[in-house]
Amino acid sequence: MRLSVLDLVPVRTDQSTADALTATTHLAQTADRLGYTRYWVAEHHNMPAVAATSPPVLIAHLAAHTSQLRLGSGGVMLPNHAPLAVAEQFALLEAAHPGRIDLGIGRAPGSDPVTSLALRGAAGRDDRDIEAFPQYLDDVVALMSARGVRVPLPRDLMRENYVLKATPAAVSEPRMWLLGSSMYSAHLAAAKGLPYVFAHHFSGQGTAEALAVYRDEFQPSDLASEPVTFLTVNASVAETTEEAEALLLPQLQMMGRLRTGQPLGALDLVEDAEATTLSPQAQAIVASGLRRAVVGSPVEAAEQVRALAEEFGVDEVMVNPVGSARRGADPATATARDTTLELLAKELF
């Protein structure tokens, strides 16, 4: 069993962005010390509870403060960025930390429409970028390679072909993964011969179907000779089930508000979440999230991870430690998230 970590760099109501980043740095060091396989950071924008806005910047910071972990994006939302910019960033990361960089790519914007438009700049981008997503994937792979991409030019520009590279002298390349929570991503990852990760922590539905399609349709490529996949899951582990559920409650309530269109804020502390009354619709989302999360005592949580791995046929599970904190905690720490990694490692390694 391999365990990995997904981190959105959550920001609690008692934290500044600097506090949240300090806590995330310590969490990555905990994962590094305990023997976790990889540590991925997400890309979200204009969200009060999420400080993970720029995966390459975070990866560079965390790679400099760890020694063994593979660092990666979970993921870069490619429609927000030019393929060359993504390829340059991750080729540079790979040059600085060879053999330790993963490039996970997603198709969703990771933001609301207004923020997405602002990200794309004055030149603007539109739905054609979504349609061109498969080609953009190919472009990123080729640009990061030592050979680069040959761009055809009109004859009157002196050269018939122009070689475009993300880096002048690549020795190694980041490992590319396709992320998704739908059948579209499963079909595309299989067709491209890409390693594939299903966002079970976000969707919780269609996981088995997507992984089955991916495995059945997989076409071997230079990037993977056979299907390579794992899944993500929210996790909160404590000495008792009751405490694990209490620490998980603020994150579940935030998802309830998000999916019912309610205003969002920073991640609540446990006491504030326990005093909150949600709408019936939001409460149903909380209950659903609780059922599909890894939550409980160390023994209970370890059994849940093993059951997930067996059910979906994976030998790696990526946990998203989402526990909040109680009032009076040091703002620069995320003790509940550290504890989740420590207790799981003790049972599963």
Side-chain angles (χ1 to χ4, degrees):
M1 169 68 63
R2 292 194 302 272
L3 286 179
S4 293
V5 181
L6 174 65
D7 188 2
L8 276 63
V9 193
V11 183
R12 305 189 307 259
T13 54
D14 63 334
Q15 289 180 310
S16 66
T17 302
D19 291 330
L21 288 172
T22 298
T24 272
T25 302
H26 189 270
L27 187 69
Q29 291 171 332
T30 297
D32 199 37
R33 170 175 55 83
L34 293 171
Y36 281 74
T37 299
R38 65 188 90 242
Y39 194 104
W40 284 6
V41 291
E43 178 188 343
H44 291 284
H45 301 279
N46 201 33
M47 296 182 69
V50 179
T53 56
S54 179
V57 173
L58 271 172
I59 291 166
H61 171 74
L62 296 176
H65 287 81
T66 56
S67 60
Q68 302 297 322
L69 283 170
R70 292 191 66 91
L71 279 299
S73 55
V76 165
M77 300 295 109
L78 191 52
N80 293 335
H81 312 284
L84 177 57
V86 174
E88 285 181 334
Q89 290 161 357
F90 279 81
L92 197 58
L93 286 167
E94 177 69 17
H97 305 282
R100 294 186 60 201
I101 304 300
D102 292 331
L103 171 53
I105 287 182
R107 189 172 65 112
S111 61
D112 60 83
V114 174
T115 304
S116 185
L117 182 63
L119 278 167
R120 296 174 184 185
R125 301 178 71 186
D126 53 35
D127 289 342
R128 286 173 294 182
D129 292 290
I130 300 297
E131 296 168 7
F133 181 73
Q135 181 59 52
Y136 288 169
L137 286 176
D138 293 341
D139 291 344
V140 172
V141 172
L143 285 162
M144 290 190 302
S145 71
R147 66 184 181 277
V149 175
R150 290 193 174 273
V151 181
L153 298 177
R155 291 180 181 274
D156 60 359
L157 292 181
M158 298 178 63
R159 298 185 188 181
E160 293 186 18
N161 287 290
Y162 184 91
V163 177
L164 191 60
K165 293 184 176 183
T167 188
V171 175
S172 59
E173 301 166 23
R175 182 141 206 211
M176 185 117 148
W177 298 74
L178 185 62
L179 282 56
S181 58
S182 69
M183 297 303 289
Y184 173 90
S185 57
H187 288 297
L188 183 59
K192 297 287 187 186
L194 283 167
Y196 176 55
V197 180
F198 191 84
H200 184 76
H201 78 284
F202 180 78
S203 174
Q205 296 183 353
T207 307
E209 294 83 355
L211 294 182
V213 162
Y214 169 69
R215 290 170 175 136
D216 290 344
E217 298 181 2
F218 183 83
Q219 299 295 314
S221 72
D222 292 340
L223 301 174
S225 60
E226 60 185 10
V228 180
T229 187
F230 61 84
L231 55 84
T232 58
V233 63
N234 290 332
S236 177
V237 187
E239 292 297 344
T240 68
T241 303
E242 293 74 20
E243 182 64 5
E245 291 181 352
L247 291 164
L248 177 61
L249 184 61
Q251 194 272 345
L252 295 177
Q253 289 186 349
M254 183 176 68
M255 291 304 300
R257 286 190 284 269
L258 174 66
R259 294 184 177 178
T260 55
Q262 301 302 307
L264 299 178
L267 186 69
D268 281 339
L269 297 173
V270 170
E271 291 86 352
D272 296 326
E274 289 175 334
T276 296
T277 301
L278 297 179
S279 68
Q281 295 87 349
Q283 190 56 48
I285 293 168
V286 169
S288 174
L290 181 62
R291 287 193 297 271
R292 68 172 184 268
V294 167
V295 56
S297 68
V299 172
E300 292 169 334
E303 275 304 307
Q304 292 165 26
V305 171
R306 292 190 189 100
L308 274 173
E310 181 176 354
E311 178 181 359
F312 297 113
V314 296
D315 57 11
E316 180 176 340
V317 174
M318 177 172 276
V319 296
N320 178 24
V322 293
S324 184
R326 293 188 177 275
R327 191 168 288 113
D330 180 350
T333 65
T335 303
R337 301 206 300 142
D338 282 304
T339 298
T340 290
L341 298 191
E342 290 167 352
L343 294 179
L344 278 178
K346 184 177 179 180
E347 293 294 327
L348 292 170
F349 291 164

